[in-house]
Amino acid sequence: MKVESVRGMRDILPEEAPLWQKLEAEIRAAFSLYGYGEIRVPLVERVELFSRGVGEETDIVEKQMYVFPDRKGLPLALRPEATASVVRAYVEHGLHATGDLAKLYYLGPMFRYEKPQLGRQRQFHQYGVEAIGSLDPALDAEVMDVAAYLMEKLGLDRKKLTLRLNTIGCREDRGPYREALRRHFLPQRADLCPDCQRRLEENPLRILDCKQPQCRSAIATAPKSLDHVCEACREHFTQVQEFVQALGIRYTLDSTLVRGLDYYTRTVFELCAEDLGAQDALLGGGRYDDLVGLLGGPPTPAVGFAGGMERLVLVLSGQGAPPGAAEPALDLYLVPIGGDAKRAGAKLLASLRRHGISADTDYMGRSLRKAMQVAGRSARYAAILGQDELARGEIKLKNLASGEEKAVGLSQFATDPALFLSG
RNA sequence: GGGAGCGUAGCUCAGUUGGCAGAGCACCGCGCUGUGGCCGCGGCGGUCGCGGGUUCAAGUCCCGUCGCUCCUCCCA
């Protein structure tokens, strides 16, 4: 019976893996440069971490979370995002007790039960940073700058990126603003799409980022959060914009940007790319000043963002030369002829590798001609070892680019291979 | 969640009004017995996504199902 992969779960094959490795390396380098340290949190958490942290009424928790009981009946979830886990770890290990700002980054698989399509899998990969412990508006700007810097390093065309920015105020502002939105939308209730009619009761903020044409006119005239936030939040947002401008980051104010997770407060932002069709959001984030307290820690402000790696891979593979087509991966490919040579060759290979020479040989019983063919496309040098060479204590090295061939002493080659392999 | 398209060899794809399952690439062998890239000849490789149905006969038509892709929704 053929067993196939689970829907929405995909393999990253060796052909594609180098692109992912490059992406991961760039992400780590960028975050390190900005002073963030890696944190690795579990893929599995208690369900209530997300239902409480991310929000009971969010799409993620309501219909996208992988939930299952363990053998003792404890309700567990595969993490749909990482911020809640990072904050849990922050609280659980008393990181707040250092009195310092915690600058953390992560990288890894997340799980959401969704309809899979290009750039959106059920197991997908996110990277992100969390700066926990400061309300400084300069920090909001730094988080946006590290995101912008990463995109630059990845070679994304700045002109094709749009940073959308908004403030949704603090917890105290939320109630009055919701009421203002309800008052605005209620008279037009019948004109709204079914989803938004429901949102009017549960979470009127979410109506703002509805894309249905029928809701558009009502949204256009809706009260803006900026006009309904308190003086402190307004001042914070003003300063955030001053820092963002000072950093030279292009952005547009978007009063309809509200984000899908309940934990956001004040600053929210999203970076979108053109040419990515319906899945154009590259990363999103903002402040979550209440989450640490909500999860049992002391009141602690925080800001961060998360981005999807699948979409970056799409963008990266669409630009520049496809990887894997160019350089031979190996320094040397050994072609032994006969049983004695094979044994001597095995010993030689082990020695070469211990000298840092990447080397391989044939295990498929290929003919000499076929083995040379494999050598020609996978290595810089072919090493031919047969009875003749063995009898003389030599090995033939062939430079596969130039075709030049020379015999060298076998034992000398084994002890100091670099001497004979130029370039 | 709603709508549409596509599943044929490892890969990219042909397959006519229903009538013997095909090509290119890759792989293996030979020409060239111990020397790669080029060329030529030959070979291996298929439950035609899966399950039903119609028919003398189904890759082809019908129904279901699974998967992928696109639009929409949501988002990363």
Side-chain angles (χ1 to χ4, degrees):
Chain A
M1 184 176 87
K2 186 155 89 177
V3 179
E4 291 175 332
S5 64
V6 173
R7 179 167 160 88
M9 313 283 167
R10 69 172 10 172
D11 304 304
I12 296 170
L13 299 176
E15 187 186 3
E16 203 189 355
L19 194 53
W20 282 82
Q21 289 171 349
K22 175 180 151 51
L23 179 58
E24 286 162 8
E26 293 284 4
I27 290 168
R28 290 177 195 283
F31 291 168
S32 297
L33 202 56
Y34 277 72
Y36 292 82
E38 184 178 7
I39 182 169
R40 302 194 185 195
V41 291
L43 272 58
V44 179
E45 298 274 3
R46 291 169 183 259
V47 167
E48 67 250 38
L49 174 65
F50 302 114
S51 50
R52 281 197 357 229
V54 175
E56 201 77 65
E57 253 101 71
T58 59
D59 286 358
I60 289 179
V61 168
E62 220 168 41
K63 48 194 184 193
Q64 298 180 340
M65 201 155 59
Y66 274 90
V67 179
F68 56 94
D70 77 356
R71 285 173 183 271
K72 286 185 174 169
L74 186 69
L76 301 179
L78 297 180
R79 62 181 189 189
E81 60 110 52
T83 300
S85 300
V86 171
V87 170
R88 178 201 50 71
Y90 174 89
V91 173
E92 189 167 331
H93 300 286
L95 298 187
H96 50 83
T98 65
D100 198 7
L101 175 66
K103 296 177 77 171
L104 307 167
Y105 82 84
Y106 60 84
L107 185 68
M110 311 290 161
F111 302 84
R112 288 183 202 174
Y113 195 90
E114 282 194 288
K115 202 150 129 183
Q117 52 188 274
L118 191 67
R120 179 161 70 189
Q121 260 69 46
R122 287 183 176 178
Q123 175 177 335
F124 61 108
H125 298 79
Q126 280 192 335
Y127 58 91
V129 304
E130 315 290 356
I132 308 172
S134 169
L135 192 50
D136 191 338
L139 189 58
D140 302 41
E142 187 195 84
V143 164
M144 285 178 246
D145 189 52
V146 68
Y149 171 75
L150 179 60
M151 298 303 119
E152 282 168 32
K153 291 300 283 183
L154 293 172
L156 270 72
D157 188 348
R158 189 189 291 246
K159 290 188 288 291
K160 290 184 175 173
L161 299 176
T162 312
L163 179 70
R164 298 158 64 215
L165 188 59
N166 192 24
T167 181
I168 57 174
C170 57
R171 188 202 292 263
E172 288 70 34
D173 300 333
R174 201 68 50 80
Y177 182 47
R178 278 186 192 193
E179 279 317 306
L181 287 172
R182 278 207 186 92
R183 279 197 302 277
H184 169 77
F185 285 116
L186 209 50
Q188 316 174 60
R189 188 195 165 98
D191 300 330
L192 299 175
C193 72
D195 276 339
C196 286
Q197 295 192 15
R198 186 175 48 79
R199 287 170 184 148
L200 191 50
E201 309 301 326
E202 295 170 358
N203 191 353
L205 258 71
R206 298 296 310 284
I207 298 177
L208 292 175
D209 66 358
C210 179
K211 309 282 193 308
Q212 296 293 339
Q214 63 191 106
C215 301
R216 216 158 276 166
S217 66
I219 292 169
T221 55
K224 296 180 175 176
S225 54
L226 190 53
D227 299 328
H228 285 76
V229 301
C230 63
E231 188 51 41
C233 287
R234 201 196 321 267
E235 173 60 21
H236 181 90
F237 193 52
T238 301
Q239 289 192 38
V240 168
Q241 289 181 73
E242 284 170 9
F243 280 106
V244 169
Q245 284 162 12
L247 290 169
I249 301 173
R250 288 189 323 122
Y251 68 97
T252 57
L253 287 182
D254 186 343
S255 61
T256 68
L257 178 67
V258 297
R259 309 283 304 151
L261 313 182
D262 282 358
Y263 54 59
Y264 284 113
T265 53
R266 294 193 169 181
T267 313
V268 291
F269 63 91
E270 213 168 86
L271 188 71
C272 297
E274 293 173 17
D275 312 329
L276 271 185
Q279 282 77 51
D280 67 342
L282 284 179
L283 58 92
R287 279 210 158 267
Y288 45 96
D289 295 330
D290 300 326
L291 187 57
V292 177
L294 188 70
L295 294 177
T300 310
V303 59
F305 81 89
M309 293 177 66
E310 272 76 6
R311 283 165 202 191
L312 284 181
V313 167
L314 278 183
V315 173
L316 291 179
S317 60
Q319 71 183 27
E327 303 296 298
L330 293 171
D331 294 321
L332 178 143
Y333 193 86
L334 175 71
V335 182
I337 307 160
D340 291 343
K342 220 180 153 179
R343 277 182 290 277
K347 195 179 156 194
L348 173 65
L349 276 178
S351 173
L352 290 177
R353 290 158 176 163
R354 279 163 180 72
H355 283 90
I357 305 295
S358 61
D360 204 356
T361 189
D362 173 61
Y363 294 104
M364 302 299 288
R366 286 192 174 90
S367 66
L368 172 70
R369 191 145 62 99
K370 223 54 199 175
M372 283 302 291
Q373 228 173 67
V374 174
R377 65 166 173 262
S378 58
R380 291 163 47 231
Y381 283 88
I384 298 142
L385 190 59
Q387 289 303 327
D388 302 351
E389 289 80 8
L390 221 44
R392 287 195 292 269
E394 291 180 340
I395 187 165
K396 274 185 187 155
L397 290 182
K398 182 168 188 174
N399 182 321
L400 289 163
S402 66
E404 180 196 353
E405 188 173 298
K406 63 185 172 189
V408 305
L410 183 53
S411 60
Q412 199 185 355
F413 182 56
T415 31
D416 198 1
L419 208 59
F420 305 95
L421 305 175
S422 54

